[in-house]
Amino acid sequence: MARLPASARRGNPWSRFSAAFPALLPAQFALVACAVAEGVADVAWGGSQKWAIAGIAFAQAALVLLRAVPILLLLSLPLLALRRERLRVVALAVLWSLFIVVQTGLDQYFQVAHVPLGADLFGYSVAEIRTTVSGYIPLDPRSVLAYALPLLLLWGGLYLCARRRVGGSLRWTSLLLIAGLLAWLPPLPAGARALPDDAARDLASNKLAWFCADVWRWSMSDAAAVSTPGKAATARAGEPRLDPQFPFLHPERTPDTLGPYFSPTSDGRPPNLVVIVVEGLGRSFSGPQASLGSFTPFLDALAARSLYFDNFLSNQGRTFGVLPSLFNSAPFAREGFTSLGARMPPSPGLFNLLEQQGYHTAFYNGTDTTFDDERAFMQLQGVQHLVDRKSFGPGYQLNPFSEWGYPDQELVSRVLADSAQLQSPFLLAMQTISMHTVYKFPGQDAYLARFEQRLRDLRIPADQLASYRASADIYSSILYTDDELRRYFDTVAKQPWYADTIFVITGDHRLPEIPMGEHIDRYHVPLIIFSPLLKQARHFRAVSSQLDVTPSLLALLSHTYGLKRPAQTPWLGTGLDLDDSFRNIHQLPLQQTKTSAPDYLAGRWWLHDGRLFELQDGMHLIPADDAAALGWATRRLQRYEQANAIFMQKLALDPAGASPKLVAYQAAAPALQPAGNAPVVHGLSTESTEVTLVGQGVQLTATFDNGDARPSRAFVPLAVLTAADGHELQETSGHALQLPANGHRQVQLTLQRPGACSSRCYLSVFPSDPQSGKAVGQGQYHIPVDAGSTTGGAP
């Protein structure tokens, strides 16, 4: 067969692809450069870590572009066959621009939300997505450049290729196709896992690859869920068999841990309950020892007069799960309990159980509660008075900057308008919204000025001010909501029912737009239980979650105030732990988004994305390399998933629905231990610390221990001194060490005591990674350092 002339081969659609393909390269890499530059500007990473992020991001972008070659080639060939050159170039520019625009949109979503977009996109309706993204698109010069530059480079490249009549070849297109097919062999995003924290890994990971992988995982989870219930028939030794109809049902024996802290009411009736769910309220910027400094001065003052839970967890990373977790201690189903819509089964919860015993119930929210099916859920709970955006009434001003609805000032005013007519006993819940994108509200300028004053009050170091000010709208929104809560409490304190009321305040999840230090930050929220009935204020360091709130409140009301509770419940929570020491006795699921795979916490072991972490004092997650612990925690997660899968098939939680048999409180039997003991913790740990004040300095003697039968990894002893309000004052480190098998080493460190530490400060000591400074073993945290005293840490 005669060989085609070179000119004919270059005019072939197959050849034209390799001629045009170079135009994609500068566009793809400009896209990555803009995204990385914007991401690293918001976080104080070291130079070497920034270069590592950039290197991984560019490598993944190249791999994604190669993986896209077979698809782009298939879609481009009909366009490249067009005879008119101008039409051919325009058509190709449109198709390839879509490829760039999709990636730009995913990158910009990440820049705003600080989490990659995945299959959770499919967990919301079109109307819900429109509400969520309203006012969401940033139009600052840096963002506009990120939108426009890749497209300009693509169009310019295609124009030059056409103008200069750059010729491709059958061979080069064939080689590109082969390379594209081979590019599917290496895993992605494997390289990003080498980075030290979630924020860096998320930034470096290619967002298109993340989206596609998460959608694939989510689509495959259906088949896995269908096959899971069959496994329930076989229980492991020592484990009770799951009920094939009601897998979560169990006798209700939650102990009344709250009762000893409460006095009788003035009239002998049970107390009123007010539950406030604060949108986006996270522990890192609220409360004592907040890592970013606290921007909630009113809640801080209230916490000092309350029962305060330092190490409390939301069970969801977005709002979708907070009402079922908090009020019904319910499982997540597949995409959140409320996503079941009309198929949500009735079950016992705080609202319906109290309504059955004479309580008046009300729920207030300034948004459209059809979002996340909250209205359907609250109606299923039998709420008697539901106020949301559609039923708010006249005389209130919608937020002109957001589609969400009424800002928190109007919400508080609406709740206060009904406060004089409340009939005791009552249960009232209020859900705020202003600490949510777009973080704009009427009168914001005054709170931006307060934000600047707060920075001065917290003595934020000068080199950190820029990163705080980059989030000024967010911090001013936090101060605004905190101020509205102050107004609410100041006003209701004058009501006759106030003296006999218990107030519960928590966050639905930690807002993600302020960069997070580690994965657990998304779930770490405050829990404040305040009441004039309290005998004393206390802070507790034991870990609990929102699943534990309703079981504990029912135990309190039934034991201390004479109500009744169900004889059996499907509740996942086992009650609030009021221990003074840091510990976790619970087993609980957590789910970041509607479609994400669940995390699981069992004892001190946390499972995330198939990886094992150890939960340490200070709410830090440390990667753990322990096969026994991984297997133990995985079995706990699998048992929950089996029960959840049965529930999804049966769509029933309790044979009595929302009206179970109610019985008087009975003293709790000793807590049953989970089948199989949790494995013993090995690895690096801070065995003991001793702190001595020497002149104007703090001398620290710490002993580090290696519990493994092999040499430890290299680590650097690190000590961090923080003020009482949580902001870091100083840190110091020792030389890098490596301990022999079962060895230990004593280290001495010295810090200067700043003026802000004239009364009491706190010290944290832990083995850290030599590169990132992150903890790599058990530390000792929150060690008080008092002027004129000597402190010995726990051995």
Side-chain angles (χ1 to χ4, degrees):
M1 181 180 292
R3 182 178 176 85
L4 290 173
S7 59
R9 294 197 300 271
R10 286 194 296 269
N12 184 283
W14 188 271
S15 301
R16 288 172 181 158
F17 182 84
S18 59
F21 184 78
L24 269 174
L25 296 176
Q28 181 79 351
F29 292 124
L31 183 73
V32 176
C34 290
V36 171
E38 190 168 358
V40 298
D42 295 334
V43 182
W45 280 311
S48 61
Q49 190 166 348
K50 291 180 180 180
W51 283 112
I53 291 171
I56 292 172
F58 278 102
Q60 291 200 2
L63 192 58
V64 166
L65 182 57
L66 277 177
R67 286 183 171 188
V69 164
I71 300 171
L72 289 174
L73 177 60
L74 181 65
L75 297 175
S76 301
L77 284 177
L79 307 180
L80 292 169
L82 295 172
R83 293 185 177 182
R84 294 180 56 187
E85 184 178 36
R86 180 174 298 180
L87 181 60
R88 188 167 65 235
V89 172
V90 170
L92 195 65
V94 170
L95 174 64
W96 288 7
S97 293
L98 287 175
F99 175 67
I100 296 296
V101 166
V102 168
Q103 293 185 83
T104 302
L106 292 171
D107 280 336
Q108 287 303 308
Y109 176 90
F110 174 79
Q111 298 300 341
V112 174
H114 287 277
V115 289
L117 181 63
D120 47 311
L121 174 67
F122 304 108
Y124 296 91
S125 67
V126 173
E128 289 175 329
I129 293 171
R130 185 170 58 249
T131 299
T132 302
V133 303
S134 62
Y136 215 56
I137 302 175
L139 295 175
D140 58 281
R142 190 169 63 180
S143 297
V144 171
L145 178 65
Y147 304 145
L149 182 60
L151 290 175
L152 292 175
L153 290 172
L154 172 65
W155 299 337
L158 289 174
Y159 173 78
L160 289 175
C161 289
R163 179 87 178 249
R164 297 178 178 179
R165 300 189 180 277
V166 177
S169 70
L170 295 172
R171 177 181 299 173
W172 278 111
T173 300
S174 299
L175 289 175
L176 278 174
L177 177 60
I178 293 170
L181 294 172
L182 292 175
W184 287 91
L185 296 179
L188 192 152
R193 287 201 173 186
L195 294 170
D197 56 57
D198 278 358
R201 284 189 289 270
D202 289 348
L203 177 58
S205 295
N206 185 273
K207 307 308 178 293
L208 180 59
W210 181 294
F211 178 81
C212 295
D214 197 55
V215 170
W216 176 260
R217 175 203 57 77
W218 174 68
S219 64
M220 291 296 101
S221 65
D222 271 340
V226 170
S227 64
T228 299
K231 301 176 184 178
T234 304
R236 291 182 175 85
E239 287 185 346
R241 184 177 183 273
L242 290 174
D243 188 306
Q245 299 295 324
F246 306 101
F248 291 110
L249 198 63
H250 59 82
E252 179 51 34
R253 292 289 186 268
T254 301
D256 179 18
T257 54
L258 295 171
Y261 294 94
F262 283 88
S263 302
T265 57
S266 59
D267 57 7
R269 293 190 296 179
N272 309 300
L273 284 177
V274 174
V275 181
I276 302 175
V277 180
V278 182
E279 171 66 39
L281 181 64
R283 188 65 178 81
S284 61
F285 52 78
S286 177
Q289 294 292 292
S291 59
L292 296 171
S294 180
F295 288 82
T296 57
F298 168 69
L299 288 181
D300 296 351
L302 189 69
R305 299 183 288 137
S306 305
L307 303 181
Y308 189 83
F309 295 77
D310 282 304
N311 301 312
F312 189 71
L313 295 167
S314 69
N315 294 87
Q316 58 287 318
R318 288 185 175 166
T319 308
F320 72 94
V322 66
L323 299 186
S325 295
L326 189 62
F327 295 123
N328 280 53
S329 195
F332 284 110
R334 182 166 180 248
E335 297 176 4
F337 188 85
T338 61
S339 68
L340 295 173
R343 298 182 299 144
M344 281 186 283
S347 63
L350 190 63
F351 275 90
N352 53 43
L353 292 175
L354 294 190
E355 190 272 334
Q356 292 171 35
Q357 299 182 76
Y359 273 67
H360 302 273
T361 57
F363 178 73
Y364 293 81
N365 186 321
T367 72
D368 182 354
T369 52
T370 59
F371 194 100
D372 281 333
D373 286 298
E374 287 192 347
R375 171 179 284 272
F377 175 78
M378 297 309 295
Q379 288 175 336
L380 184 65
Q381 306 315 306
V383 173
Q384 297 162 333
H385 185 53
L386 195 156
V387 175
D388 68 354
R389 176 175 178 164
K390 293 182 178 179
S391 57
F392 219 74
Y396 302 94
Q397 180 65 48
L398 288 165
N399 189 344
F401 305 106
S402 170
E403 292 294 322
W404 282 109
Y406 293 93
D408 289 348
Q409 182 180 30
E410 302 299 307
L411 174 64
V412 167
S413 296
R414 180 66 183 85
V415 176
L416 291 175
D418 289 347
S419 62
Q421 289 77 45
L422 291 171
Q423 301 178 44
S424 297
F426 62 81
L427 165 60
L428 181 151
M430 170 172 46
Q431 188 175 15
T432 73
I433 189 57
S434 292
M435 286 166 53
H436 195 291
T437 49
V438 292
Y439 299 107
K440 292 189 179 297
F441 53 90
Q444 189 164 18
D445 287 346
Y447 287 92
L448 288 169
R450 290 195 189 186
F451 162 66
E452 290 294 332
Q453 180 58 49
R454 191 65 180 169
L455 292 178
R456 292 190 288 272
D457 293 343
L458 293 173
R459 303 178 187 177
I460 301 299
D463 61 348
Q464 297 179 24
L465 289 175
S467 63
Y468 277 84
R469 286 171 177 152
S471 302
D473 285 350
I474 303 176
Y475 285 113
S476 62
S477 299
I478 297 169
L479 289 165
Y480 163 75
T481 295
D482 182 71
D483 212 33
E484 289 307 315
L485 294 177
R486 181 197 307 274
R487 181 167 70 94
Y488 173 75
F489 276 88
D490 287 348
T491 304
V492 299
K494 303 168 187 175
Q495 294 293 335
W497 49 259
Y498 174 79
D500 293 326
T501 303
I502 298 173
F503 298 87
V504 179
I505 304 171
T506 189
D508 59 347
H509 59 85
R510 193 266 205 195
L511 58 86
E513 287 78 14
I514 298 175
M516 291 175 277
E518 52 185 296
H519 178 69
I520 195 174
D521 284 355
R522 189 67 181 260
Y523 304 101
H524 192 190
V525 299
L527 176 66
I528 301 171
I529 300 179
F530 167 76
S531 177
L533 297 170
L534 277 175
K535 297 176 182 178
Q536 60 175 308
R538 288 286 298 274
H539 280 211
F540 306 107
R541 298 179 59 225
V543 177
S544 295
S545 82
Q546 289 173 347
L547 294 170
D548 300 308
V549 172
T550 283
S552 274
L553 290 177
L554 262 297
L556 168 69
L557 294 172
S558 60
H559 181 226
T560 303
Y561 294 106
L563 294 185
K564 294 183 177 181
R565 65 179 180 179
Q568 56 182 2
T569 66
W571 295 339
L572 272 64
T574 54
L576 297 168
D577 184 4
L578 273 62
D579 200 84
D580 291 329
S581 64
F582 179 81
R583 68 176 190 180
N584 174 48
I585 60 174
H586 303 293
Q587 299 185 41
L588 54 108
L590 308 98
Q591 191 161 320
Q592 180 166 314
T593 69
K594 285 186 174 184
T595 58
S596 62
D599 287 8
Y600 201 78
L601 175 62
R604 66 176 66 198
W605 302 109
W606 183 297
L607 280 176
H608 168 57
D609 194 23
R611 292 175 291 163
L612 181 71
F613 297 84
E614 183 189 349
L615 179 63
Q616 293 193 359
D617 196 354
M619 297 301 273
H620 299 290
L621 292 179
I622 309 301
D625 182 15
D626 190 315
L630 177 62
W632 182 84
T634 301
R635 289 193 293 274
R636 310 269 76 72
L637 170 60
Q638 289 173 344
R639 184 170 175 84
Y640 163 74
E641 290 180 323
Q642 290 167 10
N644 194 52
I646 295 173
F647 161 61
M648 284 298 298
Q649 282 195 343
K650 304 297 182 181
L651 290 178
L653 287 172
D654 191 309
S659 303
K661 177 184 177 182
L662 301 180
V663 297
Y665 178 88
Q666 297 179 0
L672 294 175
Q673 296 297 318
N677 293 322
V680 177
V681 179
H682 297 292
L684 287 169
S685 64
T686 309
E687 186 178 87
S688 65
T689 60
E690 183 175 336
V691 179
T692 306
L693 300 183
V694 181
Q696 295 301 310
V698 178
Q699 183 172 302
L700 166 70
T701 302
T703 301
F704 294 91
D705 182 76
N706 175 24
D708 287 336
R710 61 181 183 271
S712 75
R713 61 174 294 172
F715 70 96
V716 171
L718 183 63
V720 180
L721 189 67
T722 55
D725 60 14
H727 74 272
E728 182 178 322
L729 297 173
Q730 188 183 161
E731 69 175 44
T732 189
S733 59
H735 298 294
L737 300 174
Q738 184 177 26
L739 300 182
N742 300 310
H744 60 272
R745 176 79 62 85
Q746 191 176 84
V747 176
Q748 288 192 337
L749 301 171
T750 302
L751 301 93
Q752 294 300 312
R753 187 155 50 105
C757 198
S758 57
S759 56
R760 167 170 282 196
C761 287
Y762 295 90
L763 192 64
S764 297
V765 187
F766 51 88
S768 69
D769 183 274
Q771 300 299 321
S772 68
K774 297 287 185 180
V776 292
Q778 297 180 64
Q780 293 196 4
Y781 299 87
H782 205 65
I783 303 169
V785 179
D786 294 319
S789 69
T790 299
T791 302

